[in-house]
Amino acid sequence: MEQQHAKMHEWVTGDHEFARRQWKGLPLWVVFLLTVVFASALAYVFFFLVPLDGSLDRVIAALRLPAGWQGRLILGAAFVVVATLGMIHSSWNQGRGMPDDLVGVDPDDFDLDLRYGSDYRDSDGDTQHRRISAIVFTPDVHRTFTLPMRRDDGKLTRVRFTLDQGQIRCDGDDGTESREDDYRLDEGVTMKGSIAVVS
């Protein structure tokens, strides 16, 4: 907690590049390369390591493609193209609507465990936390707001922040202990995935 108090009441300037990475994810060219490599490997395994007398050959015949490896090559290439276009579109769609002057900070800058929802168990039975990965805002936003935080003792409380001229300051615990399921957001604060968007 000492690191948290060392950052308390200090202004932190929002970072545009950090906000862009959080909002848009990987650059489109990286998404393109990763998808082509992964989809090609998947297509090779599925379309060339499957026995030739399987149902895939019936699909190839129904599509009037050449028999054997040539039909599989055409089908594999079509799979790679469709998968790549789908991922590019999804990534582009995720990045739409980002304000040009958006800036953001990492909650780790304040050593805070901010949450937007209760913990849950994944399919392997492991506990997953719904942590806020970023707080993003534009420099014209001037306000205070609170976010839910998990304390070291496991209790949920609320932390107050102030925004002014593209900077954010943590004003500390607002003193109200929340109910276990109280992950409400202040008016003007919305979640985009795990990103808290303040307007």
Side-chain angles (χ1 to χ4, degrees):
M1 295 296 284
E2 290 181 7
Q3 185 179 354
Q4 176 183 339
H5 291 303
K7 291 288 188 180
M8 205 70 68
H9 305 295
E10 292 181 11
W11 289 101
V12 175
T13 301
D15 184 327
H16 176 69
E17 186 56 31
F18 174 76
R20 190 205 63 74
R21 284 194 314 270
Q22 291 292 316
W23 188 285
K24 295 188 174 187
L26 294 172
L28 289 180
W29 68 270
V30 175
V31 173
F32 172 80
L33 288 177
L34 290 176
T35 306
V36 167
V37 169
F38 181 74
S40 297
L42 201 60
Y44 175 76
V45 169
F46 185 73
F47 293 114
F48 288 97
L49 299 184
V50 172
L52 282 174
D53 59 348
S55 59
L56 187 59
D57 289 319
R58 289 191 289 276
V59 172
I60 289 172
L63 294 173
R64 300 177 187 261
L65 297 174
W69 67 269
Q70 294 166 322
R72 289 177 177 235
L73 185 62
I74 293 170
L75 220 65
F79 171 78
V80 171
V81 168
V82 169
T84 302
L85 290 176
M87 284 300 295
I88 292 279
H89 179 266
S90 175
S91 183
W92 172 80
N93 199 39
Q94 175 186 335
R96 282 181 25 194
M98 178 184 143
D100 292 336
D101 56 348
L102 191 73
V103 295
V105 294
D106 188 331
D108 287 344
D109 290 346
F110 302 105
D111 194 29
L112 298 175
D113 185 10
L114 301 178
R115 303 294 183 95
Y116 65 93
S118 56
D119 296 345
Y120 67 97
R121 293 195 180 278
D122 62 16
S123 56
D124 296 326
D126 298 326
T127 300
Q128 301 296 322
H129 308 295
R130 290 189 173 99
R131 289 194 168 100
I132 295 175
S133 62
I135 304 169
V136 298
F137 50 95
T138 54
D140 61 345
V141 177
H142 306 284
R143 61 168 294 185
T144 61
F145 64 98
T146 63
L147 289 172
M149 179 190 80
R150 181 74 63 185
R151 294 194 319 213
D152 292 340
D153 61 7
K155 292 182 179 176
L156 197 66
T157 188
R158 299 193 75 78
V159 179
R160 183 170 300 282
F161 294 91
T162 300
L163 295 178
D164 189 37
Q165 297 179 1
Q167 294 187 312
I168 185 170
R169 181 184 70 206
C170 179
D171 298 324
D173 191 328
D174 77 351
T176 60
E177 187 172 306
S178 301
R179 297 188 318 270
E180 190 62 28
D181 61 346
D182 187 6
Y183 292 96
R184 65 188 158 76
L185 297 172
D186 291 358
E187 186 177 348
V189 180
T190 56
M191 295 301 301
K192 181 184 185 298
S194 64
I195 304 169
V197 182
V198 188
S199 57

